[in-house]
Amino acid sequence: SWEAILMASNPMGSNPIVAMSYFASPVHTPPPNWRGQAEHPDRVTTAMSALQAAGITTRCELLQCGREASDEELQRVHLRKHLDQVARNAAAQSKSKNSFFTEGTESAARVAAAAVIDATKHVLGDHGPRRSFVLARPPGHHASRTGVPDEGGEGDFAEGGCYYNSVAVAAAGAQQDGVDRIAIVDFDVHHGNGTQEIFESDPSVLVISLHADLRYPGTGAIEEVGE
């Protein structure tokens, strides 16, 4: 079953100070003999186990949050044809050089996006904590408005295991809620090219990507400073 848990840390009986969402997405798992990028459930279950071993989860209040992001929410940053293509590829269980699709991929990507949206709304609310952390998959920072083709060549879709750009969708939702200045700091070995493309002409969103130079997807030079 889906598991997307919103946890509000409440140490020493104080008011919650951290909100954390967790979503392992067991229905979105690499097919047998998959040789593409290494995004898989263990990436987040291992991290969650470490948090549990450190005793962090024992100081958290667990709140269920298992919904899927709506078309309206996703279309704040993605074109309709992007959503349709994700659904078609999931139904066909297709794959490219860097991404795979299962029957559950489209739904899993929507739940991951909703986890980030709801964690952001929790922070912006009057009674929620002022910080949040989302531990979820599949990731999203390579996903652009239309789904940029990856290194596999023309016709491939969904770069680097990213289907919907959860952080961008949440940021756009925050804008709808009246937030007029947003900073997104992306730290990963790969450049967050999708997030950059979505906001490169929006002066109200500052996108900072900290990544290894010239690695996949080959973008993110220091000269790329928006429009």
Side-chain angles (χ1 to χ4, degrees):
S1 62
W2 295 117
E3 183 180 11
I5 303 173
L6 185 66
M7 296 184 289
S9 176
N10 193 9
M12 305 290 292
S14 62
N15 292 328
I17 59 173
V18 177
M20 185 177 80
S21 294
Y22 168 67
F23 179 57
S25 183
V27 298
H28 174 66
T29 303
N33 302 317
W34 173 248
R35 297 181 181 276
Q37 50 83 22
E39 204 286 309
H40 53 79
D42 288 350
R43 188 174 64 85
V44 295
T45 56
T46 299
M48 188 62 174
S49 294
L51 294 174
Q52 292 171 333
I56 293 175
T57 56
T58 62
R59 296 182 286 118
C60 295
E61 177 186 359
L62 307 185
L63 304 174
Q64 294 300 321
C65 177
R67 73 177 185 88
E68 296 182 4
S70 67
D71 287 357
E72 179 182 357
E73 290 171 321
L74 295 175
Q75 286 182 262
R76 289 170 181 164
V77 302
H78 296 299
L79 299 182
R80 177 73 243 183
K81 66 178 182 179
H82 178 96
L83 275 63
D84 293 341
Q85 187 67 55
V86 171
R88 284 195 296 268
N89 284 23
Q93 299 186 54
S94 62
K95 57 183 180 291
S96 66
K97 182 177 180 180
N98 293 297
S99 301
F100 63 88
F101 289 81
T102 70
E103 289 182 334
T105 294
E106 203 269 343
S107 182
R110 283 178 180 264
V111 175
V116 182
I117 294 168
D118 293 345
T120 302
K121 286 184 177 295
H122 204 64
V123 169
L124 296 175
D126 293 335
H127 304 293
R130 305 306 299 170
R131 292 174 290 177
S132 66
F133 173 69
V134 177
L135 180 60
R137 62 178 293 276
H141 73 163
H142 294 310
S144 66
R145 289 190 180 278
T146 58
V148 178
D150 67 20
E151 292 178 339
E154 185 177 356
D156 283 338
F157 179 78
E159 280 192 286
C162 297
Y163 309 94
Y164 298 133
N165 197 316
S166 302
V167 168
V169 172
Q175 290 178 317
Q176 292 282 319
D177 290 336
V179 178
D180 56 10
R181 296 178 64 194
I182 297 171
I184 299 173
V185 181
D186 182 327
F187 49 97
D188 188 272
V189 69
H190 301 140
H191 172 227
N193 59 311
T195 311
Q196 175 178 303
E197 185 268 342
I198 289 169
F199 293 115
E200 63 184 353
S201 61
D202 186 343
S204 70
V205 179
L206 172 65
V207 177
I208 301 172
S209 180
L210 307 176
H211 53 272
D213 188 29
L214 300 181
R215 297 201 178 211
Y216 179 86
T219 55
I222 196 169
E223 294 83 8
E224 297 176 27
V225 293
E227 298 178 358

